[in-house]
Amino acid sequence: MMNDWAGLPATYSDVLRRAMDSLFRTFENFSEGTFIVDAEARVVWINKRYAARFGFADPEQAIGRDCEAVIPNSLMREVVKTGKPILLDILETDREPLVVTRLPLKDDAGETVGAVGFALFDELKALTPLFSHYSRVQEELIATRKSLAQARRAKYTFGSFVGTSAASLEVKRQARRAAQLESPVLLLGETGTGKELLAHAIHGGSARANQPLVTVNVAAIPDTLLEVEFFGAAPGAYTGADRKGRVGKFELANGGTLFLDEIGDMPLPLQGKLLRVLQDKEFEPLGSNRIVRADVRIIAATSADLPALVAAGRFRADLFYRLNVLTIHAPPLRERASDIEALAYAMLEDLSTQARGGSHYELQDDALRLLCAYAWPGNVRELRNTLERAVMLSDSERIDARALAPFVGSGQGGALSAIQGAPHAQPPAVAEPGNPAMQPSSWNEAMAAFEKRFLSDALRANGGRVVDTAAQIGMGRATLYKKIAAHGIEI
Ligand SMILES: Nc1ncnc2c1ncn2[C@@H]1O[C@H](COP(=O)(O)OP(=O)(O)OP(=O)(O)O)[C@@H](O)[C@H]1O
Ligand SMILES: [Mg+2]
């Protein structure tokens, strides 16, 4: 039946055909870019202006190419594959973004045979507020990503690891070697020995230095959240506060390094999952069907006795062997007492630059000797904290033993224990607040005990020769004799 379009339409299909026709024409008229692909997402038609915008002087040059080769970031392949339209989208281009509409083209049997896309780049005026909002959000996102990337860079380099003792040089040598390799690194050592510092330095010295360094502190995250923290979750995958979905640390670290701190605290089920990811180099975020490739270098650290945890069945042996390829033991500070001086000077230098008013802190010789006599159970971190406190509370920039002693061992008998116990090669003198034997009853008593111990050590080191000892410790000979007598020191 023929229709007169001045009158009323007779059938729905006729209206539909007309509407479609008109819709397409409207789109075509208003859109400055029209683009058609076949079932393989290859360009079958593109208008001149759109082709020119993407660098094709003649549209013919674009025909037959994959859609992405003509329009980078094109999603026409997805439309062809799913048969579903993308009614409104923003296409990022190297110039301003475009508003695009993509529709599947179907044959009579409903099969998708191609897709048509329209770019509305001259009709953006109505969308200006939306666009400026979008641009602002986009700029903020870029800035945030930049500062995040900055934060994910290595904080320390090998140069930050102070120490020239044989043990420190060996650690640095091993860490430098580890930086050249790709296998996992396991950092073992007591608390405060510089494991985190080494992890940063290894990443910073590796080929992955320009990629992210992402840290997960296993001990700091509740077991129930760890899996999501590691592998991420699809939106709505779990009924937590986090319904938006979450990108896991593995994915964030892609191309870079994942630093697993306190790995000894990892719950057993997660150890199994981690092992699988290390073997397969891919994983699936929780509740998603997405496979994520994990090109991630692992650096793990723990202050726990990992072999003992393996023996106790609390750490999987297979994971331990997987991680235990390049193992670096950060030695406790008491085993490299010769580093204490350099460390203390470096730290004071640091504290001086941090201090306002151009302070320049100096350690007197007796203060240095006090530091060297203590066993530092908290290692370098404890040394730093001690100096920081002493500097903050000291009246003078020249810090002597008297000013320092209250802070060594947190003033809980640590200084005294350092004085009383043989200083090095001993188990750490852990201050026990409840132990009266370790508590000095007064300042004078503590200082006297320190002095006696210090002088005895100095005399022993000089074979009991008072003259040499006096010269070495910078004390007058007569004073030294008097003190030997006063303390009842046997030579
Ligand atoms: N050799 C070193 N030279 C300079 N600073 C150091 C050195 N070793 C450790 N530090 C400093 O000591 C502090 C503790 O180091 P770090 O956090 O790396 O220790 P850790 O082994 O990770 O300890 P924990 O097991 O408690 O986490 C940091 O401030 C670090 O910069
Ligand atoms: Mg640490």
Side-chain angles (χ1 to χ4, degrees), residues 7 63 77 137 193 228 290 314 417 450 476:
I63 308 296
R77 187 175 302 281
V137 171
T193 46
V228 169
R290 200 160 60 94
R314 283 170 47 207
S417 68
F450 164 61

Side-chain angles (χ1 to χ4, degrees), residues 89-103:
D89 193 15
I90 292 172
L91 178 75
E92 290 291 349
T93 71
D94 55 355
R95 282 152 58 191
E96 71 279 8
L98 303 174
V99 175
V100 293
T101 291
R102 306 181 187 95
L103 304 171

Side-chain angles (χ1 to χ4, degrees), residues 190-197 217 259 261-262 301-303 381:
E190 288 176 13
T191 181
T193 46
K195 299 184 294 295
E196 184 171 343
L197 191 160
N217 188 327
F259 175 39
D261 206 359
E262 309 294 357
T302 179
S303 52
R381 181 184 293 112

Side-chain angles (χ1 to χ4, degrees), residues 212-467:
L213 166 66
V214 176
T215 297
V216 184
N217 188 327
V218 177
I221 298 162
D223 289 6
T224 46
L225 300 183
L226 262 176
E227 187 174 349
V228 169
E229 184 77 12
F230 268 95
F231 306 119
Y238 64 110
T239 49
D242 221 340
R243 282 166 179 267
K244 278 194 240 122
R246 206 182 159 102
V247 181
K249 292 286 169 84
F250 252 105
E251 198 168 346
L252 286 175
N254 206 15
T257 304
L258 185 61
F259 175 39
L260 303 178
D261 206 359
E262 309 294 357
I263 193 152
D265 289 35
M266 186 177 275
L268 276 167
L270 192 61
Q271 289 178 25
K273 290 187 179 140
L274 173 63
L275 183 66
R276 228 164 307 136
V277 179
L278 295 184
Q279 279 161 352
D280 303 346
K281 302 215 178 301
E282 59 182 32
F283 64 93
E284 227 174 87
L286 205 76
S288 83
N289 294 319
R290 200 160 60 94
I291 299 282
V292 180
R293 295 270 318 141
D295 167 25
V296 166
R297 203 252 176 118
I298 301 285
I299 302 182
T302 179
S303 52
D305 182 347
L306 219 45
L309 290 183
V310 172
R314 283 170 47 207
F315 200 87
R316 287 179 67 129
D318 44 9
L319 179 58
F320 175 66
Y321 292 125
R322 185 99 200 170
L323 295 172
N324 192 27
V325 184
L326 289 166
T327 302
I328 300 175
H329 292 265
L333 190 53
R334 63 184 172 281
E335 285 175 15
R336 45 182 165 125
S338 60
D339 288 342
I340 290 176
E341 185 173 346
L343 277 166
Y345 285 136
M347 286 165 181
L348 282 183
E349 198 63 45
D350 215 27
L351 292 168
S352 299
T353 39
Q354 280 174 27
R356 273 187 231 133
S359 302
H360 185 80
Y361 301 108
E362 270 175 44
L363 273 186
Q364 302 295 91
D365 286 355
D366 59 350
L368 190 62
R369 283 192 289 270
L370 176 59
L371 293 180
C372 293
Y374 180 57
W376 301 108
N379 296 293
V380 186
R381 181 184 293 112
E382 188 185 2
L383 176 61
R384 195 186 164 91
N385 291 345
T386 302
L387 290 173
E388 222 163 5
R389 254 176 279 155
V391 157
M392 260 187 325
L393 295 168
S394 163
D395 298 327
S396 157
E397 291 184 7
R398 300 163 77 92
I399 296 159
D400 58 13
R402 188 179 251 283
L404 189 61
F407 305 104
V408 177
S410 312
Q412 300 209 352
L416 192 60
S417 68
I419 297 156
Q420 288 174 337
H424 311 136
Q426 272 229 338
V430 180
E432 290 172 47
N435 181 353
M438 294 185 68
Q439 294 283 4
S441 55
S442 73
W443 165 257
N444 286 341
E445 223 178 282
M447 284 312 288
F450 164 61
E451 193 173 79
K452 179 175 180 183
R453 175 81 207 167
F454 170 66
L455 295 178
S456 308
D457 284 350
L459 282 160
R460 204 173 314 117
N462 285 285
R465 289 181 302 277
V466 177
V467 180

